[in-house]
Amino acid sequence: MNVFRHPSRALLAGAAGALLMLSASTTAMAQKRDNYEFLKNMPVYCDSLIADMTYPMAWGNSKTKNFRKWKKEARAKVFECMMTPPPPAADYQLRILGEEQRDGYKARKLEFQLSRYYKVRAYMLIPDTQGPHPAINLLHDHGAHLFIGKEKMIRPFDEDSVVIKDAEQWQDAVYGGQFWGDYLARHGYVVFSADAPMWGERGRAEGVDRNKYDMIAGNLMMYGRDLSAFMTYDDIATTELLATLPEVDASRIGCAGCSMGAYRAWMLGALSDRIKATAAVCWMVTSDVQLTLKYGRSENGGFANCIPALRQYLDYPHIASLACPKATLFINGTQDKLFPVPGAERAFQIMHDVWDSQKAGDRLQTELWDMPHGCPPAAQERVLTFFNQFLLKP
């Protein structure tokens, strides 16, 4: 009779040690083979994949010719691809953690039960003038910087010198030294900004590590959930919360953001009926430009806007077009290396065709600015003018 004998612990330990040494050596210098299938984070056959992306559910491609029916079907497909949402909370259990008076408005730090799974913290700014006020759900960026989230949009309380310094440095780098949320509040808007999953006070107990974002997103998919979709589901849920607050005119809620915040904004505008006007700065492109090697760039964002299978049905501008005929503003930068101009122009044209088809062309505004990736004060002023046009009057 043959008997299987387990290898000795010493042998196993030796094998594990050898694997660790091999891993360390290959980390220092990547091993290469003469034959390969991936280049710069892309499959070498990426253009063939793009050629097969026909977007059969896009307006104009879909067999459904009634616009309202198409919106219903296309939105349902987006939600289907976003997989299971976090279960809603039975009660927000809203608490005010802090309040301070600023120049013409109050700042509050809030905590609330956003889903049955988790509580979330947010900042809210309330003008001193008589309300209820128009409101903006202001959505923070990615920037590969996860230590702060809502503090990128609204000046943080004087509670943590490290957070304050970080937020001020971020303003200088991305927003021209001006907190966008405080700017809007000084002009009469309630402004709300919450941390997205993995940012700010929703990060890792072990501390910030950008590389862990993709691992956590992959693990969440193993649960049948999607981290990017959770971000969008949360944005929809915080907008619903915003509509319940006595300081807010629920009929005049808009949303805005830069970079990933812009992606969040146009997704929210497309998927939430609460949103009446959307402003997105530096995030719009078509997948044929985003996911090709032609423009010398490499897609690194991935899981931050990854909704499985959705590209089989709709491209980014097709989804954004679900907001039609709402007032919508897009600003992209001609020096923005993340979103090449041809992709932005193509996306703009696709959306204009949709708004024009519904005789709402004047409610879609698309602009290319001579600027890099970011949202300087001039862009913030342009967004304010846009919101004043469509949200300021009841």
Side-chain angles (χ1 to χ4, degrees):
M1 181 176 64
N2 294 325
V3 178
F4 175 76
R5 299 186 183 278
H6 290 283
S8 69
R9 291 184 179 180
L11 181 60
L12 288 173
L19 286 171
L20 287 172
M21 291 177 62
L22 179 61
S23 177
S25 64
T26 55
T27 298
M29 182 173 63
Q31 293 177 303
K32 297 181 180 180
R33 300 291 295 269
D34 291 335
N35 294 318
Y36 57 88
E37 196 167 323
F38 299 89
L39 174 66
K40 295 182 179 180
N41 301 338
M42 304 277 199
V44 295
Y45 49 86
C46 59
D47 288 341
S48 295
L49 289 173
I50 290 170
D52 288 338
M53 294 160 68
T54 58
Y55 308 118
M57 290 198 71
W59 177 247
N61 295 344
S62 172
K63 294 179 180 179
T64 302
K65 302 307 178 184
N66 178 279
F67 191 71
R68 288 187 178 181
K69 185 178 179 182
W70 169 78
K71 285 180 64 171
K72 183 177 181 180
E73 292 174 353
R75 183 184 279 188
K77 179 58 69 175
V78 175
F79 280 124
E80 176 188 328
C81 291
M82 285 168 62
M83 301 194 289
T84 307
D91 183 352
Y92 291 121
Q93 301 177 43
L94 181 68
R95 292 197 303 145
I96 299 175
L97 302 180
E99 183 173 283
E100 66 181 29
Q101 182 64 42
R102 298 185 180 176
D103 184 16
Y105 56 97
K106 292 182 181 68
R108 288 178 181 166
K109 186 171 184 179
L110 309 175
E111 183 180 72
F112 45 89
Q113 195 77 36
L114 190 58
S115 87
R116 182 160 52 81
Y117 293 154
Y118 45 78
K119 290 183 178 180
V120 172
R121 291 184 173 184
Y123 283 140
M124 186 169 80
L125 307 178
I126 306 164
D128 291 339
T129 52
Q130 183 67 36
H133 308 276
I136 306 298
N137 196 345
L138 196 57
L139 308 158
H140 69 72
D141 59 66
H142 187 306
H145 186 65
L146 283 66
F147 180 64
I148 54 175
K150 60 188 176 297
E151 299 89 356
K152 294 179 178 182
M153 299 287 93
I154 291 174
R155 180 165 60 86
F157 281 33
D158 295 333
E159 56 189 14
D160 187 328
S161 60
V162 175
V163 170
I164 293 168
K165 182 178 179 180
D166 196 299
E168 289 175 344
Q169 290 175 341
W170 197 252
Q171 298 312 301
D172 291 340
V174 182
Y175 298 94
Q178 176 172 272
F179 282 96
W180 195 358
D182 292 73
Y183 172 73
L184 290 171
R186 287 195 297 271
H187 287 84
Y189 290 87
V190 166
V191 182
F192 180 97
S193 189
D195 293 323
M198 285 292 290
W199 272 266
E201 296 180 277
R202 300 182 70 184
R204 298 170 65 246
E206 301 86 352
V208 174
D209 184 342
R210 166 63 183 87
N211 294 326
K212 295 296 190 294
Y213 184 96
D214 295 349
M215 292 184 181
I216 291 171
N219 286 339
L220 205 58
M221 286 186 182
M222 298 294 284
Y223 294 105
R225 308 296 195 272
D226 179 72
L227 187 59
S228 174
F230 264 38
M231 179 172 67
T232 297
Y233 281 128
D234 285 354
D235 292 339
I236 294 170
T238 57
T239 305
E240 291 297 322
L241 167 62
L242 193 56
T244 69
L245 301 179
E247 299 88 354
V248 172
D249 181 344
S251 69
R252 294 186 290 156
I253 299 178
C255 62
C258 171
S259 191
M260 183 186 78
Y263 165 84
R264 295 168 65 189
W266 60 254
M267 283 288 286
L268 180 56
L271 300 177
S272 171
D273 292 331
R274 289 285 187 189
I275 296 299
K276 305 305 179 186
T278 299
V281 181
C282 286
W283 209 121
M284 181 44 70
V285 73
T286 51
S287 290
D288 61 341
V289 172
Q290 180 195 37
L291 296 174
T292 182
L293 296 168
K294 177 180 178 181
Y295 295 95
R297 63 178 303 279
S298 177
E299 173 54 42
N300 299 316
F303 282 112
N305 58 273
C306 177
I307 298 177
L310 190 50
R311 289 293 85 73
Q312 295 181 47
Y313 307 101
L314 299 156
D315 201 2
Y316 300 118
H318 304 141
I319 301 167
S321 295
L322 289 169
C324 178
K326 297 179 189 176
T328 308
L329 168 67
F330 286 92
I331 299 174
N332 271 47
T334 58
Q335 301 174 42
D336 190 339
K337 296 179 180 180
L338 297 180
F339 301 100
V341 170
E345 290 181 326
R346 173 64 179 148
F348 289 172
Q349 187 57 59
I350 289 171
M351 292 186 292
H352 276 293
D353 288 345
V354 176
W355 262 261
D356 288 345
S357 75
Q358 302 307 305
K359 297 180 172 53
D362 59 332
R363 298 179 67 80
L364 174 65
Q365 302 173 17
T366 59
E367 301 172 3
L368 283 170
W369 287 33
D370 182 17
M371 68 177 191
H373 194 74
C375 188
Q380 296 178 39
E381 182 180 1
R382 174 67 183 93
V383 171
L384 174 64
T385 301
F386 167 78
F387 282 140
N388 286 348
Q389 179 182 359
F390 292 104
L391 291 180
L392 201 56
K393 296 181 180 180

